[in-house]
Amino acid sequence: MDVNSFQELKFVQVNLHHSIAATTSLVERAKDQKISVACVQEMYQVESKPVGIPSHCKLFVTQREKLKAGIIVLHPDLSVMKVFTATNTVGVSFPYRGMNLLLITVYCPPKEDLYHTLAELQTCLMLPYDRVLLTGDFNSKSPVWGSDVEDERGRQLMEFVLSKGLAIVNEEDTIPTFDGSRGRSWVDIIISDPLLLDNIFKWKVDLEPTCSGHNSISFSLYTGKTKPRKHRRFNLKNINILSLRSSLHSEIGNRVLAHATDLDREVEDYVTKITSACKNSVQVRQPLSKKQRWWDRNLEILRSQVRRAKKKMYQARLPNDRKFLRQKFKKIKGEYKFKLLQAKREGWADTCEEVTTEQPFGVHFDVAKCPDRRHLQLSAVTKQDGSLASTT
C-alpha cells in the first residue's frame, strides 16, 4: 500500500495491564476512530500467546514470555515489515513519504534494570532508517515529560535520548499516563527524531477510559497528501442568471428537433451552446490588491522574524529556555507593531496629500463615505441660531 494515499496516520500508545477488557476496548476504539497503528504493553495472554487481537490485524510482539509489548497494525492495507525483536523491544519498518520509517515499541518492567532495554534500543537503532518513532512504557520519571521528580531511570533515559539526537514528544503540562491504586505517574513516553517531530500533531493524553490503570496517548502523523478535490466547471454564484437566461433563449429556446436527426450530434451541439452561454455569463471580478502601498520589504522581514520567534518559544521544552525566548519574542513583536503603525500613519498622510480640487475622489473619499462606526459617529449640525438640524 502507498502510505501517501493517507491524509494522516493515527497512532495510539497504551499499556493494557494484561486485561482482556482493555484489549477489547482498544479494538472497538480503533474501528470508531480509524486508528492505523496501536503500540501496546503488558498484553493479555493465554499460555504465553496474546489473545483478543482480530485475525485481520498484523501483530508484532517481543520475545519475553510474559508482559509482552507489541505493535498492532489495525489497517489491513498498511505495508509493515518486522526488522527487530528482543526481550523488551520490537521494531517494524514501513514506507513514509518516500522514506523508511522505523517504529519501535518498548516495555521495561519497573523491577528490571533499564540498562538492558537501552542496550536493545542501541542495537535496533543501528539498523538503516530515515525517520524513527519510539513509543513505550519505560517506568521512568523526569520533569521533561511531566513528572514532579527525576529518578535514576529517568536520568538514564534522558541521557540516551540526547546522545542519539532524538526529541521528547510528550508535553509537560498533561494529565498522568498512569492513574491507579498505586498512585499517579508519567511513564508512557513518545520519542522521535527532530525532523519527524514537525509532522506529529494532535498529540494528547486521552481522557476516555481504557479499562486499565493507564491513560492512552494518541497522535497523528502527517503524510503530506490531501484528498483530491473535485472542481466544479462553473459556480452559479459567479454567473449572471439574467444574462444566462437570455443567451440560452436566443441559442436553443426556439429550436425544434426533426425526426431524422442525429441525436449524438444534437446532444453535443446542445452541450457546446450551454457551455458557451455559461462562459459568457460569468461575472468578471477585478482582482483585489492584497498589499497596501505602505507595506514594504522591511515589514515583511519583521513579520517573519516574529513568527519564527513565536514558533521557537512554543517548541522550547525547558522553563528557562521558554522564559528567555518569550522575552525575545515580545521584544521583536513590539518593534514590529511600532514599525507597522508608523508605516500606516505615513501611508495615510501620503494618501491625504493626494487630495486636490481636480481629483477630490479616492481612498480618502471611500473612508469618509463608509466610516468605521466603532470610531466615527456623525452628529447633527448646529445652526446659527443655536438649534440643531434634523439631519446629520
Side-chain angles (χ1 to χ4, degrees):
M1 173 189 176
D2 186 7
V3 180
N4 289 334
S5 61
F6 284 91
Q7 186 176 1
E8 60 178 309
L9 290 174
K10 294 184 178 180
F11 290 78
V12 63
Q13 149 67 31
V14 60
N15 187 315
L16 300 177
H17 203 63
H18 40 80
S19 170
I20 185 60
T23 305
T24 305
S25 176
L26 176 63
V27 174
E28 294 298 327
R29 177 185 172 188
K31 295 180 182 179
D32 298 337
Q33 302 181 6
K34 297 181 179 179
I35 297 173
S36 303
V37 181
C39 302
V40 297
Q41 296 81 35
E42 291 191 79
M43 305 179 66
Y44 178 73
Q45 301 174 222
V46 175
E47 297 181 356
S48 302
K49 294 183 179 181
V51 178
I53 308 300
S55 58
H56 69 270
C57 299
K58 301 174 185 177
L59 177 61
F60 308 94
V61 297
T62 54
Q63 295 178 352
R64 64 185 306 137
E65 294 184 0
K66 297 182 180 180
L67 304 177
K68 287 181 178 290
I71 298 175
I72 307 173
V73 182
L74 298 156
H75 199 291
D77 298 329
L78 189 60
S79 301
V80 178
M81 180 179 65
K82 182 171 69 173
V83 294
F84 182 83
T85 180
T87 305
N88 296 334
T89 308
V90 59
V92 299
S93 175
F94 60 89
Y96 167 71
R97 300 179 69 179
M99 297 176 291
N100 181 26
L101 190 145
L102 178 61
L103 175 63
I104 307 173
T105 293
V106 173
Y107 176 66
C108 183
K111 296 182 180 181
E112 294 185 7
D113 192 357
L114 183 63
Y115 176 78
H116 300 291
T117 303
L118 296 181
E120 294 177 358
L121 284 177
Q122 174 76 19
T123 305
C124 184
L125 291 176
M126 294 177 64
L127 299 173
Y129 63 87
D130 298 314
R131 299 289 183 268
V132 60
L133 181 63
L134 175 59
T135 69
D137 181 357
F138 292 87
N139 286 296
S140 304
K141 299 179 182 180
S142 174
V144 178
W145 47 83
S147 300
D148 297 332
V149 296
E150 182 181 42
D151 58 3
E152 181 62 22
R153 297 166 67 99
R155 185 188 63 81
Q156 293 178 5
L157 179 59
M158 197 61 201
E159 289 181 355
F160 178 82
V161 170
L162 294 177
S163 65
K164 297 301 178 181
L166 303 177
I168 302 294
V169 183
N170 290 47
E171 299 177 358
E172 299 176 7
D173 303 326
T174 61
I175 61 176
T177 59
F178 174 78
D179 191 355
S181 59
R182 293 178 295 174
R184 307 169 63 198
S185 60
W186 290 258
V187 291
D188 293 34
I189 308 168
I190 310 296
I191 305 171
S192 73
D193 62 273
L195 295 178
L196 187 64
L197 183 61
D198 295 334
N199 294 326
I200 296 176
F201 62 107
K202 296 182 183 178
W203 187 98
K204 64 178 179 179
V205 180
D206 302 312
L207 295 175
E208 56 185 290
T210 59
C211 300
S212 68
H214 290 255
N215 294 321
S216 62
I217 298 177
S218 62
F219 60 94
S220 296
L221 194 61
Y222 175 66
T223 59
K225 187 175 182 179
T226 58
K227 297 180 181 179
R229 296 180 58 186
K230 296 182 179 180
H231 297 281
R232 293 174 293 181
R233 182 175 296 181
F234 298 103
N235 191 345
L236 294 179
K237 295 181 181 180
N238 300 329
I239 292 181
N240 189 337
I241 301 299
L242 296 178
S243 176
L244 177 62
R245 184 180 300 174
S246 176
S247 299
L248 292 177
H249 180 74
S250 61
E251 292 290 340
I252 60 176
N254 300 323
R255 190 167 180 175
V256 180
L257 295 179
H259 291 286
T261 304
D262 188 355
L263 291 180
D264 293 336
R265 185 177 299 176
E266 289 294 330
V267 169
E268 185 178 354
D269 189 41
Y270 266 85
V271 172
T272 303
K273 291 184 180 299
I274 293 174
T275 304
S276 177
C278 291
K279 289 182 179 180
N280 297 331
S281 303
V282 173
Q283 300 176 356
V284 181
R285 296 183 179 182
Q286 297 294 334
L288 299 177
S289 177
K290 296 183 179 180
K291 292 186 178 180
Q292 301 292 339
R293 292 189 299 176
W294 45 264
W295 184 264
D296 56 6
R297 179 64 176 170
N298 295 329
L299 290 176
E300 191 169 353
I301 294 175
L302 280 176
R303 184 179 64 180
S304 301
Q305 292 177 354
V306 171
R307 293 176 177 176
R308 192 180 302 110
K310 183 178 180 180
K311 184 178 180 180
K312 288 184 178 180
M313 180 187 69
Y314 284 124
Q315 290 180 348
R317 300 296 181 183
L318 299 179
N320 294 334
D321 295 344
R322 188 175 300 173
K323 182 178 180 181
F324 171 76
L325 293 175
R326 184 181 292 110
Q327 295 177 355
K328 185 177 179 180
F329 165 68
K330 288 184 177 181
K331 180 179 179 181
I332 299 176
K333 184 178 179 181
E335 181 182 358
Y336 170 66
K337 284 188 174 181
F338 176 78
K339 294 291 183 61
L340 182 64
L341 182 59
Q342 185 180 11
K344 287 183 178 181
R345 289 179 176 176
E346 292 178 356
W348 176 246
D350 295 339
T351 302
C352 293
E353 290 178 357
E354 296 177 359
V355 180
T356 59
T357 55
E358 293 80 7
Q359 186 66 25
F361 303 103
V363 179
H364 51 278
F365 178 78
D366 296 335
V367 174
K369 182 177 66 175
C370 302
D372 192 344
R373 296 181 179 179
R374 298 174 301 174
H375 308 292
L376 178 60
Q377 296 182 356
L378 300 179
S379 58
V381 180
T382 304
K383 298 181 179 179
Q384 294 182 357
D385 57 357
S387 61
L388 298 178
S390 58
T391 58
T392 56

